[in-house]
Amino acid sequence: MQLLEFEKPAAELERELEKLRAKSGSQNIDMSEEISIMEGKLAATRAAIYKNLTPWQRVQIARHTSRPFMLDYVSLAFTEFFELHGDRHIGDDHSMPGGFARIGDQRVVVTGHQKGRDTKENLLRNFGSAHPEGYRKALRLMKIAEKFGLPIVTMIDTPGAFPGIGAEERNIAEAIAYNLREMMLLKVPVIAIVLGEGGSGGALGIGVADRVLMMENAYYSVISPEGCAAILWKHRKHAPEAAEAMKLVAPDLMELGLIDGVIPEPTGGAHHDHITTAESFKKVILGQLEELKALSVEQLLDQRYEKFRKFGEWEGK
């Protein structure tokens, strides 16, 4: 597993713990007391590290290749997933899978960005950066959900929409802008969750929702910290300062009223425990769906409009 710099103290203790367990097993020695002490020390160290994370450290966690991705959540928190393909204009985009699924007893349509963990998968998924046909496919699935009265769950995890020549030729800006307008008008509940990276318009293209939630160690921003640092400080090495100034992590965005909730991750981050993370994810989504299903279509649309309309309001003292 990829080891982040600030995780090294805990990793050292973890190695020592494994050595004690191996010694106890191979030599048939009772080392239960030493093992218990080491387990306590490891838990305390890990808790101290993750209790005081900086925004830049959270950005690093959000990008961790072992974090659960969109299809991992589909596998762990949903059932009966049936994938649909194609945008009915150009083709299929593997970086934006989606289809019918069930969460608990509720049928939904789910779509989102999918990253890869190795070179082959990243090439297939385009590193989680969707093409125009990905956003058009996502909207096609949302329109199907609206037709059948099904709630929509979108999962955001992208550094940004694909900026290549082909995407420009097929009008990536129009595809995202069209999604923004049409998602605002959907007559069914929409929940969006930022799983890891929530970058720029690529995130917003599936992020207009009645409830916008974030995983505890995700980030959501108009630009990456490196991009901001390159513009303001003229060097990417200032990314940690940029991350601090940009207020892009879940606690800051919750305080600013730009998101509606934070989904907790286990100590050590989602990359250390996919199953517990998926259980928290499922519990929160089901709770939000129950609240939204109680609203009439008129209430749903009015509240969605007001939610986004008030963004950017400022009152001087």
Side-chain angles (χ1 to χ4, degrees):
M1 181 187 288
Q2 172 193 358
L3 186 64
L4 301 173
E5 187 66 31
F6 61 87
E7 291 182 311
K8 287 183 178 178
E12 289 291 334
L13 291 174
E14 203 165 355
R15 281 194 286 271
E16 292 298 321
L17 179 60
E18 288 305 314
K19 287 179 184 177
L20 285 175
R21 287 172 175 163
K23 184 177 180 180
S24 176
S26 62
Q27 299 182 18
N28 198 26
I29 303 173
D30 182 11
M31 302 185 72
S32 56
E33 186 175 346
E34 291 90 340
I35 289 172
S36 179
I37 291 171
M38 186 61 73
E39 286 175 339
K41 194 173 181 181
L42 173 60
T45 301
R46 187 171 281 164
I49 290 171
Y50 280 85
K51 185 180 179 181
N52 300 292
L53 291 171
T54 66
W56 177 240
Q57 288 170 337
R58 289 189 190 273
V59 169
Q60 292 176 285
I61 297 171
R63 295 171 174 169
H64 202 290
T65 54
S66 296
R67 277 180 76 81
F69 295 151
M70 182 261 185
L71 290 177
D72 295 317
Y73 284 101
V74 168
S75 174
L76 294 170
F78 296 80
T79 57
E80 300 178 28
F81 178 58
F82 185 85
E83 187 171 359
L84 300 174
H85 297 273
D87 70 340
R88 300 298 187 265
H89 292 282
I90 299 293
D92 195 27
D93 186 353
H94 297 290
S95 62
M96 186 82 80
F100 295 108
R102 185 184 295 276
I103 183 166
D105 295 327
Q106 176 65 55
R107 292 287 294 174
V108 297
V109 164
V110 59
T111 188
H113 303 102
Q114 173 67 23
K115 292 181 176 179
R117 290 199 168 89
D118 55 33
T119 302
K120 183 178 180 181
E121 191 179 4
N122 268 319
L123 290 174
L124 174 68
R125 304 294 182 183
N126 203 37
F127 298 85
S129 293
H131 295 82
E133 46 270 30
Y135 291 98
R136 293 181 177 123
K137 175 173 72 172
L139 184 60
R140 182 175 78 85
L141 300 186
M142 294 179 205
K143 292 291 188 179
I144 292 174
E146 184 179 47
K147 179 178 180 179
F148 292 106
L150 300 176
I152 298 162
V153 178
T154 72
M155 288 180 258
I156 299 165
D157 193 6
T158 181
F162 186 58
I165 293 174
E168 290 295 333
E169 289 174 341
R170 299 192 299 279
N171 213 341
I172 184 72
E174 184 272 344
I176 291 173
Y178 190 69
N179 277 25
L180 299 184
R181 187 188 73 183
E182 293 301 306
M183 288 186 74
M184 188 65 75
L185 302 174
L186 290 168
K187 295 181 176 64
V188 291
V190 186
I191 298 175
I193 309 98
V194 184
L195 303 181
E197 293 189 277
S200 193
L204 287 177
I206 56 169
V208 177
D210 301 294
R211 298 286 188 274
V212 178
L213 312 172
M214 285 180 70
M215 301 304 297
E216 184 178 350
N217 293 310
Y219 81 88
Y220 198 21
S221 173
V222 70
I223 193 172
S224 69
E226 293 92 337
C228 176
I231 294 170
L232 296 184
W233 284 274
K234 310 303 180 187
H235 203 290
R236 293 163 63 92
K237 71 179 182 181
H238 294 283
E241 296 105 293
E244 181 74 39
M246 290 165 70
K247 307 295 182 187
L248 45 64
V249 293
D252 291 330
L253 294 172
M254 190 70 189
E255 185 177 340
L256 291 169
L258 296 176
I259 61 171
D260 302 297
V262 180
I263 301 176
E265 298 182 23
T267 302
H271 56 290
H272 283 291
D273 192 342
H274 287 201
I275 293 175
T276 302
T277 304
E279 288 172 353
S280 296
F281 174 96
K282 182 178 180 179
K283 181 179 178 181
V284 172
I285 298 305
L286 287 173
Q288 295 288 351
L289 283 174
E290 282 302 311
E291 291 181 16
L292 292 172
K293 283 164 57 182
L295 301 175
S296 67
V297 173
E298 290 74 17
Q299 289 174 317
L300 199 69
L301 292 172
D302 287 346
Q303 288 187 18
R304 190 185 303 156
Y305 175 82
E306 289 300 326
K307 169 186 169 60
F308 286 92
R309 190 70 180 84
K310 70 181 181 182
F311 285 0
E313 287 185 1
W314 181 81
E315 292 183 6
K317 294 184 179 178

